[in-house]
Amino acid sequence: MRALVYCRVSTDAQERDGTSLDTQERAAVKVARESGYSVTETVRDTASGFTLERPGIEHVRRLLRAGAVDIVLAYAVDRLSRNQNHIGVLFDEVAQAGAQLEFVTEDFEDTAIGRFILAARAFTAEVEREKIAERTMRGKAERARRGKLPQGTGKGMYGYAYDPDTGTRQIVEAQAAVVRRIFEAFVAGRACNGISNDLNGDGVPAFSGGRWYALTIRRLLKNEAFAGRTIYRRTRADRVRDVARGRWTRRIVERDQSEWIEVAGATPVIIDRGLFDAAQKILDDPSRRPQTAPSDVYLLRGRISCRECGAKMVGHASNRGRYRYYRCPNGSSGPGETSCCSRYIRIERLEGAVKTALTDLLASPDRLLGEAKRLARRQPQDEDLEKVFQALGEVESAQGRLVRLYTTEALPEHLLREESRVLSERREVLENTRRELQAQTVPTPRDFSRIAGDVPAALSAIRSWVKDASGDDFDLMLRAVDAQVRASHEGVEIAGAVPIFPDGDQADFATIEQTSA
């Protein structure tokens, strides 16, 4: 019997200590040997037991689906999961794989009564997890009310050092002087970009020891703790379903002010309230918001860099968006001191040059005929079709498991609806792929002399499409050839990779470069 040992702890500290993981593994291996099992692998996780999105448990589930495991052996039910529904899901997957689920500290029969006891034990573990979380939150809130920071400070906060004896922050004077400098410069009219350039130019290291950035400056200016006010429970983290990626994610939202707890005296004052409020008034001024045209009008954004210094070029508009340009951020219009001689480039001129180069590239007679021959040789992809059928089978099995869990009342109705919707969307995508693959039939011979006669009209259509392309169409074209543009006032260089199709069956890629003055 092939046994897989699964161990879990909740925190990185427990993982580094190793005691809990080592204890679980030793006990599980001992039980496996006494039972005559062969331990093929030990899987360790460091994550909350309330989620199934753990690298270790995902690996266990993959091995079960592959039929590589006969026994899944965990130290206790709460090591496997602290969620009753997840225990039901794992138990069903083990059963579907023809394997067994066993525990070191508990013994459950594979009967209706045994499964009921297992579900009850999982429910108890879930309740205990909720009780631990509730006690922890109450303890943190009480600590905050006593004027102490309620939780670990992580990397800390610029300008302060954490004093574990008092549970408060203490001022680091060298950093506090930088904080005062930032606030005073900003209120005096210096922009965040300019302040970051000044600090970097003076060799002042940021909190992590690296460079200062405008976003770092803005976040520092918004932090009310520098004015002596520390708020606990200002925000909360909600778990929300990301349907596109098929997983749960964290979303930070601000709580109602009635839930806030002010930690009095936890953070000494570095910036007086008047100076802090003056900075907030500037930051919140509506006139600071960009009044230019939206960024999506710049079709080359993210793909164009300066020929002079290599920096990524940005869009720039003047006269309320009437005139639009690309410019180097290190040029005369950029923040801080000028470090690049690059000049403004009119958007019409630059994007027109790129479209001309792409037209010459894509509207090539040889390339068009090569693509026609490649399509003529195209055969159905049996291997891809087999993968689609396999994935469809997995979706059907998952849908069946959901129904069984719901009918046994192991899965709440709202979770059933959510998971069913995700599986239905996945199935629809797979069915569309299956139909596309099955629609590919062995093509009939083509008259390429006749196709060659149609080439001029096809090339004309391509040129018209490239000329009129905008928005998503233009972006699709740039991504298709992985176009990278380097520009200055004197000329444009375009590089990318395009497929070339020789007479054989193998496709290759060539790097193209084109310069336009």
Side-chain angles (χ1 to χ4, degrees), residues 299-300 303-304 326 345-362 466-467 474 477-478 481 483-487 491-495 512 514-517:
L299 302 178
L300 298 176
R303 294 186 174 274
I304 181 169
Y326 287 100
I345 307 174
R346 285 291 295 266
I347 190 172
E348 298 84 358
R349 178 187 177 196
L350 183 51
E351 292 180 358
V354 172
K355 284 189 175 184
T356 299
L358 290 174
T359 300
D360 295 341
L361 170 68
L362 298 176
V466 174
K467 178 182 177 182
F474 192 75
M477 181 167 51
L478 294 174
V481 299
Q484 300 297 323
V485 183
R486 298 179 70 245
V492 182
E493 297 174 2
I494 306 168
I512 57 98
Q514 183 161 342
T515 301
S516 174

Side-chain angles (χ1 to χ4, degrees), residues 155 158 196 199-200 203-213 216:
K155 292 174 61 177
Y158 191 81
S196 63
L199 294 173
N200 292 328
V204 178
F207 190 38
S208 60
R211 294 177 56 82
W212 290 90
Y213 296 94
T216 309

Side-chain angles (χ1 to χ4, degrees), residues 277-294:
D277 290 343
Q280 305 317 299
K281 184 177 180 180
I282 297 172
L283 288 169
D284 297 336
D285 187 351
S287 65
R288 289 176 53 85
R289 298 171 187 167
Q291 300 297 318
T292 58

Side-chain angles (χ1 to χ4, degrees), residues 455-467:
V455 164
L459 295 180
S460 176
I462 292 174
R463 291 190 185 96
S464 297
W465 180 76
V466 174
K467 178 182 177 182

Side-chain angles (χ1 to χ4, degrees), residues 8-17 21 45-48:
R8 183 188 67 82
V9 292
S10 299
T11 65
D12 293 332
Q14 290 174 325
E15 180 188 33
R16 289 192 296 272
D17 178 65
L21 287 173
D45 254 334
T46 305
S48 168

Side-chain angles (χ1 to χ4, degrees), residues 487-507:
S488 68
H489 197 72
E490 287 73 30
V492 182
E493 297 174 2
I494 306 168
V498 295
I500 55 175
F501 304 102
D503 293 335
D505 291 334
Q506 298 298 318

